[in-house]
Amino acid sequence: MKNYFIARSRRVRSTPYTSRIENQGVTAYSVYNHMLLPAAFGSLEDSYNHLKEHVQVWDVAGERQVEISGKDSAKLVQLMTCRDLSKSKVGRCYYCPIIDDKAGLINDPVILKLGEDRWWVSIADSDVILFAKGLAIGNNFDVKIFEPNVYILAVQGPKSFKLMENIFGKKITEMKFFGFDYFEFSGAKHLIARSGWSKQGGYEIYVEDTKSGLALYDHLFELGKEFNVKPGCPNLIERIESGLLSYGNDIDNNDNPLECGLDKYVNLDNDIDFLGKEKLQEIRKLGIIKKLRGVKIETKEIDISKSIKLFDEKNNEIGELRSGAYSPHFEKVIGIAMIFKPYWSISQPFKIQINGETFSGKICDLPFI
Amino acid sequence: MKNYFIARSRRVRSTPYTSRIENQGVTAYSVYNHMLLPAAFGSLEDSYNHLKEHVQVWDVAGERQVEISGKDSAKLVQLMTCRDLSKSKVGRCYYCPIIDDKAGLINDPVILKLGEDRWWVSIADSDVILFAKGLAIGNNFDVKIFEPNVYILAVQGPKSFKLMENIFGKKITEMKFFGFDYFEFSGAKHLIARSGWSKQGGYEIYVEDTKSGLALYDHLFELGKEFNVKPGCPNLIERIESGLLSYGNDIDNNDNPLECGLDKYVNLDNDIDFLGKEKLQEIRKLGIIKKLRGVKIETKEIDISKSIKLFDEKNNEIGELRSGAYSPHFEKVIGIAMIFKPYWSISQPFKIQINGETFSGKICDLPFI
């Protein structure tokens, strides 16, 4: 695929780290929540190998926060997600599908419970703030909704634990997965969660104090030398192997959470009130007719800029490939596809056209690794 | 400024015209409503000169539609905008600021009245569909809201009238500015409006039938040869000279419509019901404290990727520059800036730092031409 430049403007917002990553060799950007998201530092495969062995620092400021606070905040947050948050605890992160009244996915954020009446919805790429505002206004909820100045730095990779321990002490290594706490650095308190968009382990630092955050950024690279730290970004190969879904890529508003394998975040047998509940109960009763599955394709190269249809041997359309990358681990292309019911069983063979050539593939389970 | 590539994926949607514009020499993209928006075909200045003299065809499919229909659709559309739509007519386009309950701008779409109970909100870059859905659900409105498969082609430039007449006949030249009607081409009816994001005249074709739309695309280039037709895109220089505002660049959720010079689209003395009305009445009473103004800067080059602060001779901060480009017409940089009250008078001098160098400039009226 030919390469094109990204046009810069204020509308596609920079982050506090943009000038640093540009000095460090970022080569490509995507746009995420109207903000620059680094997409490559040279070779995707080199970055993948490095991420699985060492530690990387990522500018993921594009993961914007929607802060919802006030008397009715818990009610509003629960209204937006099919995951039961009635027993949620302050200091914990919750992966939550956000759906509309037709059960179509609107986003799949991690929600942080900062207090009984204060939440951060750490969003994927759609303006959840507008949905929250519309619902709050329409329902006359007593809430305050805004986008705070939070710019996340992710520290990911197996050596992230040692690096973060060297800066913040032993306490940070004792934090459980999807827990968060506050840690001091250079005169500011930073909310740090044990989370991140890779399966290689690590943390996300919710930087509110930009000055201290930039000092921390530099300190991570200074102290990280002994762990072979590098700048990075969410890695397409690693996240597909790990089965981490990407809103807009693998899932969108035409899909419901049951079709996306998010069953464990769908709580229907209770008396909590959320949008799309009746619709989801109906869908569960009737059964879904398409489902996200893994695929393996007998080729070594793919570039996906839109869905690619998949066909069985009799040329029946069996679904569409939505994300894909060459996996050095499997030595072939792997991907995430939405597959129609009769075809979603494991090992179902299919054909796919990539740049005019036909390749064969097979359906498999998610995650790959 | 160094150039970076744009990373492609399904999340950053292609348009039906993407493969055509890539064959025709697009060089840079922006992302607009999660979709690729062409941003350059080589030199910005060449494209500007061509647009002012000839005719261009633009892939502006990123201008997505939010279709709102049903019994309560007029109520919902009016609730979202401070412009009085009570006397709006079917077959007309209306430029409408959309604001929240704090009077902060959420978008500035053109709204098309398709029928008494059917509207297209032709949006700038934010997910208005989520705001509309939230409001509709919260208010229990009887409406249907979705994003239809509409992919706009703009035909812009002084020769657009002749070109479109050659295809659609004399009737299309008689259409008034911001009127729309249906015109047949290759077996399909296309909604065509006399509108577009330049001041050089032209049309926007709301393509619903993609097959016919692609045939029309090719036909425009075939018949356009005698008018020196070229592919193009919204031109930064032309739109700044013309004072066409860009949501996310010149205006955002921290601004209200009175601060953005949109006074004539703010109707406060009536009994219509819209969000932010009380807040706007209060703002009008107290007076605004910042305002969008034009600026001229004594230099020939600028690249804006974020706001740049402006200072007076005594180093008081007087506002911030949000968009800018070198104007061949004025032979200097011109731009759009948000200026604090004591400084917004015409000819107010200021200083600005661009890449470490200090330049002088002056405030002026909008539009420039």
Side-chain angles (χ1 to χ4, degrees):
Chain A
M1 203 184 299
K2 199 172 166 299
N3 277 323
Y4 299 91
F5 295 125
I6 186 163
R8 301 289 283 270
S9 67
R10 179 177 183 259
R11 181 173 58 75
V12 179
R13 300 176 286 181
S14 301
T15 86
Y17 320 112
T18 300
S19 64
R20 278 173 171 69
I21 65 170
E22 294 188 352
N23 283 329
Q24 289 173 317
V26 65
T27 50
Y29 281 117
S30 185
V31 177
Y32 203 83
N33 289 318
H34 315 277
M35 194 169 264
L36 292 171
L37 177 72
F41 288 79
S43 151
L44 202 61
E45 203 171 320
D46 289 350
S47 205
Y48 159 88
N49 287 322
H50 177 266
L51 173 62
K52 290 182 82 162
E53 203 176 332
H54 305 287
V55 54
Q56 297 184 352
V57 178
W58 298 355
D59 168 3
V60 283
E63 280 175 45
R64 307 303 299 153
Q65 309 308 304
V66 179
E67 177 162 332
I68 302 179
S69 62
K71 198 166 69 65
D72 294 326
S73 61
K75 209 195 287 182
L76 174 57
V77 169
Q78 181 62 78
L79 190 63
M80 294 197 291
T81 180
C82 52
R83 179 168 182 179
D84 181 356
L85 292 174
S86 62
K87 294 183 186 68
S88 59
K89 291 185 178 65
V90 174
R92 294 287 302 163
C93 306
Y94 298 89
Y95 177 77
C96 294
I98 292 189
I99 58 173
D100 61 22
D101 55 335
K102 308 283 188 295
L105 279 155
I106 277 178
N107 204 288
D108 66 331
V110 169
I111 297 182
L112 286 77
K113 187 168 182 173
L114 303 175
E116 289 305 330
D117 285 338
R118 187 164 169 251
W119 310 73
W120 275 351
V121 185
S122 190
I123 57 173
D125 182 31
S126 73
D127 297 331
V128 170
I129 193 168
L130 297 183
F131 192 54
K133 279 188 182 185
L135 285 172
I137 294 167
N139 283 296
N140 239 323
F141 282 159
D142 182 2
V143 289
K144 194 178 159 196
I145 301 169
F146 70 106
E147 183 180 306
N149 291 320
V150 174
Y151 301 94
I152 299 183
L153 280 179
V155 182
Q156 300 285 301
K159 296 183 185 166
S160 61
F161 302 102
K162 271 285 168 205
L163 172 55
M164 291 291 274
E165 184 182 351
N166 283 4
I167 298 176
F168 296 105
K170 190 142 188 69
K171 188 182 154 204
I172 205 160
T173 64
E174 289 158 0
M175 194 156 54
K176 288 197 177 121
F177 185 67
F178 264 35
F180 69 80
D181 208 339
Y182 294 85
F183 296 84
E184 199 165 317
F185 181 82
S186 181
K189 284 214 163 184
H190 297 278
L191 187 161
I192 302 181
R194 201 178 135 203
S195 59
W197 214 56
S198 86
K199 286 272 171 83
Q200 307 311 312
Y203 299 91
E204 287 181 299
I205 308 166
Y206 288 70
V207 172
E208 292 179 87
D209 183 313
T210 307
K211 203 179 152 196
S212 168
L214 288 170
L216 176 54
Y217 187 97
D218 296 337
H219 198 61
L220 282 163
F221 281 93
E222 190 55 37
L223 257 68
K225 277 178 195 162
E226 64 168 304
F227 305 111
N228 190 17
V229 68
K230 284 193 180 174
C233 52
N235 186 283
L236 184 64
I237 308 169
E238 195 278 339
R239 77 102 180 150
I240 293 177
E241 283 184 356
S242 302
L244 290 170
L245 302 183
S246 165
Y247 186 79
N249 286 314
D250 310 309
I251 59 182
D252 63 38
N253 191 238
N254 297 307
D255 309 317
N256 69 57
L258 298 174
E259 291 166 341
C260 302
L262 301 176
D263 306 54
K264 68 173 170 167
Y265 308 108
V266 176
N267 303 130
L268 294 174
D269 304 308
N270 50 47
D271 55 5
I272 60 168
D273 188 21
F274 62 83
L275 298 174
K277 188 173 187 179
E278 276 179 38
K279 184 74 190 164
L280 276 176
Q281 283 167 333
E282 188 190 316
I283 292 165
R284 183 176 61 173
K285 205 169 142 192
L286 293 171
I288 54 171
I289 54 170
K290 59 184 170 66
K291 195 156 118 181
L292 273 195
R293 307 294 283 132
V295 299
K296 290 179 185 168
I297 305 172
E298 298 302 328
T299 179
K300 304 226 169 208
E301 221 177 308
I302 196 163
D303 270 313
I304 289 191
S305 63
K306 55 183 170 186
S307 303
I308 306 177
K309 286 182 179 174
L310 308 179
F311 297 91
D312 75 357
E313 303 94 325
K314 292 173 185 160
N315 274 326
N316 298 306
E317 190 183 328
I318 72 157
E320 61 176 29
L321 181 63
R322 295 180 170 182
S323 294
Y326 172 72
S327 160
H329 180 87
F330 293 101
E331 295 182 331
K332 58 185 73 174
V333 164
I334 61 169
I336 297 174
M338 186 58 87
I339 304 293
F340 301 129
K341 187 166 187 178
Y343 309 101
W344 69 40
S345 64
I346 292 175
S347 296
Q348 162 75 39
F350 63 82
K351 293 181 295 179
I352 181 171
Q353 281 227 338
I354 304 170
N355 297 326
E357 250 191 286
T358 303
F359 298 95
S360 62
K362 278 190 178 163
I363 304 289
C364 64
D365 274 334
L366 284 173
F368 292 87
I369 292 180
Chain B
M1 206 184 298
K2 199 174 166 297
N3 277 322
Y4 299 90
F5 296 126
I6 187 164
R8 302 289 283 271
S9 67
R10 180 177 184 257
R11 181 173 59 75
V12 179
R13 301 176 286 180
S14 302
T15 86
Y17 320 114
T18 300
S19 64
R20 278 173 170 70
I21 65 170
E22 294 188 353
N23 283 329
Q24 290 173 317
V26 65
T27 50
Y29 282 116
S30 185
V31 177
Y32 203 82
N33 289 319
H34 315 278
M35 193 169 265
L36 291 170
L37 177 71
F41 288 79
S43 151
L44 202 60
E45 204 171 320
D46 289 350
S47 204
Y48 159 88
N49 288 321
H50 177 267
L51 173 63
K52 291 183 82 162
E53 203 176 335
H54 304 288
V55 54
Q56 296 183 352
V57 178
W58 298 355
D59 168 3
V60 283
E63 281 175 45
R64 306 305 298 153
Q65 310 306 304
V66 180
E67 177 163 331
I68 302 179
S69 61
K71 199 166 68 67
D72 294 326
S73 61
K75 209 195 286 184
L76 174 57
V77 170
Q78 181 63 79
L79 190 62
M80 293 197 292
T81 179
C82 52
R83 179 168 183 181
D84 182 357
L85 292 174
S86 61
K87 294 183 187 66
S88 59
K89 291 184 179 64
V90 174
R92 295 284 304 161
C93 306
Y94 298 89
Y95 176 77
C96 293
I98 292 189
I99 58 174
D100 61 22
D101 55 335
K102 306 286 188 293
L105 280 155
I106 277 178
N107 205 287
D108 66 331
V110 168
I111 298 182
L112 287 75
K113 187 169 183 173
L114 302 175
E116 289 304 331
D117 285 339
R118 188 164 169 250
W119 310 74
W120 275 351
V121 184
S122 190
I123 57 172
D125 182 32
S126 72
D127 297 331
V128 170
I129 193 167
L130 297 183
F131 193 53
K133 279 188 183 183
L135 284 171
I137 294 167
N139 284 293
N140 237 322
F141 283 159
D142 181 1
V143 288
K144 194 178 157 198
I145 301 169
F146 71 107
E147 184 180 306
N149 291 320
V150 174
Y151 301 94
I152 299 183
L153 280 178
V155 183
Q156 300 285 300
K159 295 180 182 168
S160 61
F161 302 102
K162 272 286 170 205
L163 172 56
M164 291 291 274
E165 185 181 350
N166 284 3
I167 299 177
F168 296 104
K170 190 146 186 66
K171 188 183 155 204
I172 204 161
T173 64
E174 289 158 359
M175 195 156 54
K176 289 197 177 122
F177 184 67
F178 264 35
F180 69 80
D181 208 341
Y182 293 85
F183 295 85
E184 199 165 316
F185 181 81
S186 180
K189 285 214 163 186
H190 297 279
L191 187 162
I192 302 182
R194 202 178 135 203
S195 60
W197 214 55
S198 85
K199 285 275 172 80
Q200 307 310 313
Y203 299 91
E204 287 180 298
I205 308 166
Y206 287 71
V207 172
E208 291 178 88
D209 182 314
T210 307
K211 201 178 156 200
S212 169
L214 288 170
L216 177 54
Y217 186 96
D218 297 336
H219 198 60
L220 282 163
F221 280 93
E222 189 56 36
L223 256 69
K225 278 178 193 161
E226 65 168 303
F227 305 111
N228 190 18
V229 69
K230 286 194 179 171
C233 52
N235 186 282
L236 184 65
I237 308 169
E238 196 279 338
R239 77 101 180 152
I240 293 177
E241 283 184 357
S242 302
L244 290 170
L245 302 183
S246 166
Y247 186 78
N249 285 314
D250 310 310
I251 60 184
D252 63 39
N253 192 238
N254 297 308
D255 309 317
N256 68 58
L258 297 174
E259 291 166 340
C260 302
L262 301 176
D263 305 54
K264 69 173 169 168
Y265 308 108
V266 177
N267 304 130
L268 294 174
D269 304 308
N270 51 46
D271 55 5
I272 59 168
D273 188 22
F274 63 82
L275 297 175
K277 188 173 186 179
E278 275 179 38
K279 184 73 190 166
L280 275 175
Q281 284 167 332
E282 187 190 316
I283 292 165
R284 182 176 63 173
K285 204 169 142 193
L286 293 171
I288 53 171
I289 54 168
K290 60 185 170 65
K291 196 155 117 182
L292 272 194
R293 307 294 284 130
V295 299
K296 291 178 184 167
I297 305 171
E298 299 302 327
T299 180
K300 305 227 169 206
E301 221 177 310
I302 196 164
D303 272 312
I304 289 190
S305 62
K306 55 184 171 185
S307 304
I308 306 177
K309 286 182 180 174
L310 308 178
F311 297 90
D312 74 358
E313 303 93 325
K314 292 172 186 159
N315 275 326
N316 298 306
E317 190 184 329
I318 72 157
E320 60 176 29
L321 181 64
R322 295 180 171 183
S323 293
Y326 172 72
S327 161
H329 180 87
F330 293 102
E331 297 181 328
K332 58 185 72 173
V333 164
I334 61 170
I336 297 174
M338 187 58 87
I339 304 293
F340 300 130
K341 186 167 188 178
Y343 308 101
W344 69 40
S345 65
I346 293 174
S347 295
Q348 163 76 38
F350 63 82
K351 293 181 294 180
I352 181 172
Q353 281 227 339
I354 304 170
N355 296 328
E357 248 191 285
T358 303
F359 299 94
S360 63
K362 276 190 178 163
I363 304 288
C364 65
D365 274 333
L366 285 172
F368 291 89
I369 292 179

